[in-house]
Amino acid sequence: MILAVTRQAAFRAHQVFVLCLAGILHAPGLFAIDFTGEAAPPEQAFTLWYRRPAEQWTEALPVGNGRLGAMVFGGVAGERLQINEDTLWAGGPYDPVNPGARAALPQVRQLVFQGRYKEADQLVSAAVMARPLKQMPYQTVGDVLIAFPEAASVEGYRRELDLDTAVARTSYTVAATRFVREVFVSPVHQVLVVRLTADRPRQIAFTVTMATAQQATVTAPERDTLLMSGVNTGYMGVPGALRFQARLRVFAEGGEVSALGASVNVQRADAVTILVAAATSYRSYDDVSGDPAALVAAALETAARRPFEDLRAAHVAEHQRLFRRVALDLGTTDAARRPTDERIRDFARAPDPQLAALYFQFGRYLLVSSSRPGTQPANLQGIWNDKLDPPWGGKYTININTQMNYWPAEVANLAECAEPLLRLVRELSVTGARTAQSMYGARGWTAHHNTDLWRASAPIDGPAWGMWPTGGAWLALQLWEHYEYAPDPEVLAQVYPLLKGAALFFLDTLVVEPTGRWLVTNPSLSPENQHPFGAAVCAGPTMDAQIVRDLFSSTIRGATLLGVDGDLRARLAAARSRLPPNRIGAQGQLQEWLEDWDAQAPEQQHRHVSHLYGFFPSSQITLRGTPELAAAVRKTLETRGDLSTGWAIAWRLNLWARLQDAERAYRILSALLQPTRTYPNMFDAHPPFQIDGNFGGTRAIAEMLMQSHTGEIELLPALPSAWPTGSVRGLRARGGFEVDLAWTAGRLEKVTLRSAAGGRARLRYADRTRELVVAPGRETAWDGRP
Ligand code: FUC
């Protein structure tokens, strides 16, 4: 039976359904489910688990294959699977450059150099900002909702996410029948898979529907099939240009399957597999001619030919290929036997080193599940979002957040997961070349503080956020870092043109500041921080000089390695020598602006620590190389304070790890692992949810154990007393090395280095150094002794 459901009707039905579920699950009285008989902890230590279904979205468990994602609630009366597809964003291809920007910029520059910052801000606002002023948001597909028969009492309930298999599992007993429900999203077969089983025959019964707030219809074209078909929404005057489909099919073993309105009903089955595929018509940032109907039909057809066990085995094998590269043991206490939400609640009170290891592996799990070769990069929420207009649009904020998402990729041995970032930069270098030309009359390419699915690159939101031309350059530098970890000529050939384009933009737009000494960016800002003169817009903020210095240096190095662009190298070197240096201000701090304004800035504890970029993730400033500047970094960090929200704490944590202050770093990690900053499902709270803090925290734990930014591999540089004994296998260091470490009573026992290509490494442990030569494909060890 085919039944068309309007968007409103579907949404209303969805709301009623969710309300009913909420009522059944949580209302005391008639329909309240009594949870009795506590389930034991799962056997696999790297598992998130709970004794109650999720009520809030931030309690639900994320699964994903980089492209397709779901949040699993694990209810008993009903299951809610909130679905995402990584190309379902609002709008369509657009170019937001303000046509008046180029004419206005000379006057803006002049106002800035005259110190008339508020006027400069106003002119940027009136004539330079993008049209529209906002970029397109990332959106949810909708929900798959499964309603089960009433149960008054449930025994031995457990809901879990096994990070090692990437399978979410809900299990419980009702009336002497044990039910098990497994959910995963296969990177191999490109479908979401739900498997329902029971330990007695003919016990499985449910009704499944799909609901969405998108402009879509839900129909049941076959007795076992549901089809959601819709279009995305327009936003800020940019019309929606995408079509999308989600297609669901039910495969029952035994029992009866029938369509009932726009739902499928199953009675008396022994076991059931549900497959869900979703796709949009997005092909690339300038092409929306894809065929979502063909894509979902093909994915379902291919997956439907395989028995459930094969689908599961293929999924687990592909997940483990990446996930199992790193093993981390920081020690285990009794606390590790308790449910995850209780451990987060108590982390500051009782020793629970395994929770930090779980947080590290969860970060790796999230990267594998939200960013794989061929998918979109992980956005502000990875791929998980239940809204049409999520906080900050769920976009790519490139003045810290997107960069932080990829901070763990190299060191935590998931380099492939950074491929979507490489592609994003390549695409931005095309849209950003238009922006460079039409806004600035410059060569090369630029992107400001934000981008979206359509690779918009003009300044948005307002002068204090958007008027920052350095976001693209920072992204390009992450690709250089990718090369440093695996120095491969093919990677260099891909990355070099992107660096060169970013560098050309600055060669053309840097201007001499009024004293005639320095070449600076103007207009720009120190991300999102106001200086004392009523604006953020300024000339030559420290972070810009740091990023441009790194950019010129790596472009010169890349050109030298490739033996190209001799003239350009010379021009870049000359310009680099005129960039303002890192300077120490009157308070002993690292100066945030060209002049020493720091002590007068209105927000002394601002969440951004942009000018500390030079210390982390960059290595322009190092503990042993530039000790005075490193001391100034410390002073700035003291003023900024340890506590902020999610990602801002994670950045501080990485900085303290680089300062090699183990106990301070651990204290900040403890602040990150509190309920105010880590939700029960371990998602990072930058209230609400933002995934960057998870990734930043993961990188920081690696930085505490091993650092490789100075040309040496430093072993256990910030090992806190809370982790006296432990081991790690499979971290990666710059130069193409894999590193295993084992330590006891706070002292290194053994380091093992591996290298596919072979190489020479200089190791540092405490005050000792040692050179090791690793033969290609072999390993070499050191016990850390003289
Ligand atoms: C930056 C931050 C905000 C938020 C946003 C997505 O602009 O300053 O706190 O994280 O990105």
Side-chain angles (χ1 to χ4, degrees):
M1 170 181 182
I2 300 179
L3 186 83
V5 179
T6 65
R7 175 195 174 197
Q8 285 80 7
F11 190 51
R12 234 177 294 124
H14 163 71
Q15 281 175 322
V16 169
F17 188 88
V18 171
L19 283 176
C20 287
L21 279 188
I24 291 163
L25 288 170
H26 314 303
L30 199 57
F31 296 114
I33 296 179
D34 189 11
F35 287 88
T36 59
E38 295 206 331
E43 276 166 26
Q44 210 280 106
F46 289 90
T47 300
L48 279 57
W49 73 282
Y50 309 85
R51 291 199 163 114
R52 292 280 180 285
E55 294 177 22
Q56 309 295 327
W57 189 85
T58 46
E59 294 169 344
L61 295 169
V63 289
N65 67 357
R67 186 183 69 81
L68 191 61
M71 293 295 284
V72 184
F73 282 67
V76 171
E79 174 64 278
R80 177 182 173 202
L81 302 167
Q82 184 268 309
I83 309 290
N84 288 105
E85 204 276 353
D86 70 350
T87 61
L88 185 51
W89 292 57
Y94 72 114
D95 185 352
V97 171
N98 186 326
R102 189 165 172 190
L105 278 168
Q107 201 190 339
V108 171
R109 278 191 199 108
Q110 205 177 6
L111 288 169
V112 167
F113 279 150
Q114 290 169 350
R116 293 156 69 187
Y117 300 106
K118 277 190 181 167
E119 289 165 71
D121 179 280
Q122 283 158 7
L123 184 55
V124 168
S125 194
V128 179
M129 298 311 291
R131 293 179 180 172
L133 192 56
K134 302 232 170 257
Q135 292 171 355
M136 302 300 112
Y138 175 56
Q139 304 188 319
T140 179
V141 172
D143 290 351
V144 169
L145 300 163
I146 312 173
F148 298 102
E150 244 175 64
S153 166
V154 170
E155 283 171 49
Y157 177 93
R158 190 170 73 198
R159 176 169 70 89
E160 64 193 88
L161 174 63
D162 179 345
L163 303 184
D164 185 52
T165 56
V167 175
R169 185 183 157 101
T170 305
S171 52
Y172 53 87
T173 302
V174 171
T177 302
R178 185 84 185 150
F179 292 93
V180 176
R181 190 187 311 153
E182 290 195 322
V183 183
F184 59 88
V185 183
S186 171
V188 180
H189 292 98
Q190 294 296 321
V191 284
L192 175 122
V193 182
V194 184
R195 174 73 173 171
L196 300 141
T197 56
D199 66 356
R200 289 170 51 220
R202 298 172 71 76
Q203 294 300 309
I204 295 177
F206 63 84
T207 300
V208 58
T209 62
M210 289 200 283
T212 183
Q214 296 275 11
Q215 303 170 54
T217 57
V218 177
T219 58
E222 314 277 345
R223 134 193 103 76
D224 59 359
T225 301
L226 293 175
L227 180 64
M228 181 192 291
S229 206
V231 293
N232 71 337
T233 55
Y235 190 74
M236 300 285 289
V238 177
L242 290 174
R243 290 165 295 118
F244 73 92
Q245 279 204 355
R247 196 178 178 96
L248 174 153
R249 197 164 155 203
V250 174
F251 301 83
E253 290 157 36
E256 300 90 48
V257 178
S258 57
L260 194 73
S263 61
V264 172
N265 180 266
V266 173
Q267 295 296 329
R268 289 173 288 278
D270 298 327
V272 177
T273 302
I274 303 173
L275 303 181
V276 184
T280 77
S281 54
Y282 180 88
R283 290 163 62 94
S284 79
Y285 66 94
D286 58 356
D287 180 353
V288 291
S289 66
D291 182 352
L295 290 168
V296 295
L300 274 193
E301 225 170 84
T302 311
R305 277 190 231 118
R306 310 287 293 269
F308 168 77
E309 286 70 25
D310 283 11
L311 293 176
R312 192 185 194 283
H315 159 76
V316 170
E318 171 51 24
H319 174 73
Q320 290 179 344
R321 183 178 70 82
L322 299 174
F323 187 74
R324 287 196 165 174
R325 285 182 189 158
V326 179
L328 176 62
D329 177 5
L330 298 175
T332 300
T333 57
D334 278 351
R337 292 184 56 77
R338 305 222 318 277
T340 307
D341 46 348
E342 292 177 23
R343 294 173 70 185
I344 295 166
R345 188 191 63 204
D346 296 339
F347 187 69
R349 286 193 283 270
D352 189 0
Q354 204 270 341
L355 190 69
L358 185 65
Y359 193 83
F360 172 84
Q361 292 292 29
F362 184 56
R364 295 185 65 248
Y365 168 88
L366 290 176
L367 195 59
V368 170
S369 306
S370 64
S371 183
R372 275 175 169 272
T375 73
Q376 292 300 308
N379 62 46
L380 287 171
Q381 300 199 172
I383 45 171
W384 300 281
N385 160 39
D386 64 339
K387 300 190 167 54
L388 294 188
D389 194 1
W392 293 285
K395 305 189 295 284
Y396 301 104
T397 303
I398 56 175
N399 64 13
I400 173 65
N401 316 89
T402 302
Q403 286 87 349
M404 188 178 281
N405 282 1
Y406 288 90
W407 281 358
E410 307 298 330
V411 67
N413 214 334
L414 297 172
E416 301 90 324
C417 296
E419 186 276 343
L421 190 71
L422 174 71
R423 209 158 8 88
L424 174 130
V425 176
R426 198 179 295 136
E427 294 170 357
L428 265 181
S429 77
V430 179
T431 58
R434 285 204 298 269
T435 300
Q437 181 54 44
S438 57
M439 267 189 78
Y440 297 92
R443 294 172 297 167
W445 65 278
T446 189
H448 293 77
H449 95 297
N450 230 103
T451 190
D452 59 11
L453 182 72
W454 313 107
R455 310 307 184 230
S457 53
I460 61 155
D461 291 349
W465 298 273
M467 196 60 262
W468 186 64
T470 323
W474 189 359
L475 284 178
L477 284 167
Q478 304 234 151
L479 304 185
W480 177 254
E481 190 176 275
H482 179 66
Y483 169 73
E484 286 186 313
Y485 274 87
D488 167 350
E490 251 176 61
V491 173
L492 182 62
Q494 287 177 31
V495 168
Y496 177 71
L498 304 172
L499 289 167
K500 178 179 166 182
L504 282 175
F505 171 77
F506 287 100
L507 265 191
D508 285 3
T509 56
L510 289 174
V511 286
V512 181
E513 45 77 53
T515 71
R517 290 187 69 190
W518 311 118
L519 279 177
V520 296
T521 48
N522 177 13
S524 189
L525 45 83
S526 190
E528 306 193 22
N529 202 7
Q530 296 250 331
H531 55 62
F533 311 104
V537 171
C538 67
T542 301
M543 184 191 218
D544 281 6
Q546 293 173 338
I547 290 178
V548 174
R549 187 176 298 114
D550 277 352
L551 177 66
F552 286 2
S553 296
S554 42
T555 307
I556 292 169
R557 178 104 183 99
T560 309
L561 287 167
L562 292 167
V564 296
D565 291 336
D567 287 356
L568 177 67
R569 270 184 254 164
R571 268 179 291 134
L572 290 172
R576 183 179 56 183
S577 69
R578 294 190 65 194
L579 293 170
N582 289 308
R583 274 179 295 186
I584 300 171
Q587 280 72 41
Q589 90 286 8
L590 190 74
Q591 226 170 272
E592 181 159 1
W593 291 278
L594 195 56
E595 285 164 77
D596 191 0
W597 297 337
D598 298 27
Q600 284 80 49
E603 240 191 287
Q604 291 292 307
Q605 305 206 317
H606 198 272
R607 62 194 179 288
H608 287 257
V609 284
S610 303
H611 51 314
L612 305 190
Y613 159 89
F615 189 63
F616 181 92
S618 173
S619 52
Q620 275 171 43
I621 303 172
T622 60
L623 271 182
R624 274 183 300 280
T626 56
E628 294 83 11
L629 289 170
V633 167
R634 175 181 278 264
K635 175 71 190 171
T636 296
L637 277 174
E638 296 285 6
T639 306
R640 281 294 217 266
D642 292 349
L643 300 185
S644 194
T645 53
W647 64 260
I649 292 203
W651 198 351
R652 284 157 172 74
L653 176 52
N654 277 285
L655 287 157
W656 282 104
R658 278 271 169 102
L659 283 167
Q660 305 194 348
D661 188 328
E663 299 312 317
R664 182 74 166 253
Y666 185 76
R667 219 165 76 202
I668 301 173
L669 178 63
S670 304
L672 189 62
L673 283 175
Q674 302 265 330
T676 44
R677 289 164 193 109
T678 296
Y679 288 111
N681 66 359
M682 279 199 136
F683 269 170
D684 169 57
H686 176 67
F689 159 55
Q690 212 169 279
I691 205 164
D692 38 23
N694 286 104
F695 292 133
T698 300
R699 170 66 180 267
I701 291 168
E703 287 279 321
M704 290 166 81
L705 302 176
M706 194 265 300
Q707 299 176 6
S708 68
H709 58 286
T710 60
E712 299 178 333
I713 302 176
E714 294 193 54
L715 311 172
L716 305 178
L719 184 71
S721 55
W723 305 337
T725 297
S727 63
V728 63
R729 173 179 55 74
L731 293 180
R732 281 173 72 245
R734 289 172 184 78
F737 297 100
E738 262 194 29
V739 182
D740 302 347
L741 295 166
W743 64 94
T744 311
R747 300 178 67 84
L748 180 70
E749 291 245 302
K750 187 177 173 191
V751 53
T752 307
L753 285 196
R754 281 182 297 281
S755 166
R760 181 185 294 270
R762 192 177 156 87
L763 303 185
R764 175 178 291 272
Y765 174 61
D767 54 1
R768 296 191 276 284
T769 59
R770 169 69 58 102
E771 286 229 339
L772 287 189
V773 177
V774 189
R778 307 290 287 273
E779 56 179 54
T780 313
W782 180 41
D783 62 6
R785 283 172 227 267

